[in-house]
C-alpha cells in the first residue's frame, strides 16, 4: 500500500520536473539527457552587457538542468523499481531502506547507513 503512495508522489514530482526542464532546455532523445537552451534574444542587437547577461543566464540554466536531470533520473529509477517489485531496497547493502527515509525522499537509493558510501 505504501508503494502506491510513493509511486503517486514520484509521478507528481516527475511531471513537475519535466515541466521545469522543458522551460529551460530540451531533451536530447539520443542520450536521454536534458540540455540547457539559451534564453531567446528579444532585441535585434546585443551589447556587451546583454551578451554577458545571456551567458550568465545560460550557465545558470545549465547547472539547473544538470541538477534537475539527475533528480529526474533517480525518480525514473525508483518508478522502475516499483514496477519490478525491487523498490525500497538499498543499492549498497541490499537491506530495506527505512520508512522515514523514503517518506523524506521516495527516490532514495540507499538506507541511512549507506548514504555516504
Amino acid at each position: 500500500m505504501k508503494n502506491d503512495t510513493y509511486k503517486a508522489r514520484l509521478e507528481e514530482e516527475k511531471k513537475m520536473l519535466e515541466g521545469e526542464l522543458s522551460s529551460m532546455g530540451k531533451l536530447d532523445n539520443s542520450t536521454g539527457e536534458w540540455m540547457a537552451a539559451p534564453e531567446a534574444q528579444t532585441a535585434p542587437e546585443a551589447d556587451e552587457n546583454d551578451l554577458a547577461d545571456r551567458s550568465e543566464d545560460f550557465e545558470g540554466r545549465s547547472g539547473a538542468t544538470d541538477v534537475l536531470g539527475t533528480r529526474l533520473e533517480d525518480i525514473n529509477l525508483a518508478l522502475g523499481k516499483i514496477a519490478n517489485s525491487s523498490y525500497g531496497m538499498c543499492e549498497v547493502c541490499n537491506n530495506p531502506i527505512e520508512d522515514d527515509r523514503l517518506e523524506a525522499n521516495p527516490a532514495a537509493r540507499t538506507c541511512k547507513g549507506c548514504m555516504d558510501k
Side-chain angles (χ1 to χ4, degrees), residues 1-11 79 82 87:
M1 185 62 97
K2 280 195 174 204
N3 282 3
D4 291 338
T5 302
Y6 295 138
K7 181 179 180 183
R9 287 181 55 200
L10 289 163
E11 288 173 341
L79 288 169
I82 289 173
Y87 179 74

Side-chain angles (χ1 to χ4, degrees), residues 10 13 17 66-76 104-108:
L10 289 163
E13 186 175 355
L17 286 171
D66 289 346
V67 171
L68 296 176
T70 298
R71 178 66 181 166
L72 184 59
E73 288 173 15
D74 288 345
I75 288 171
N76 286 329
N105 177 11

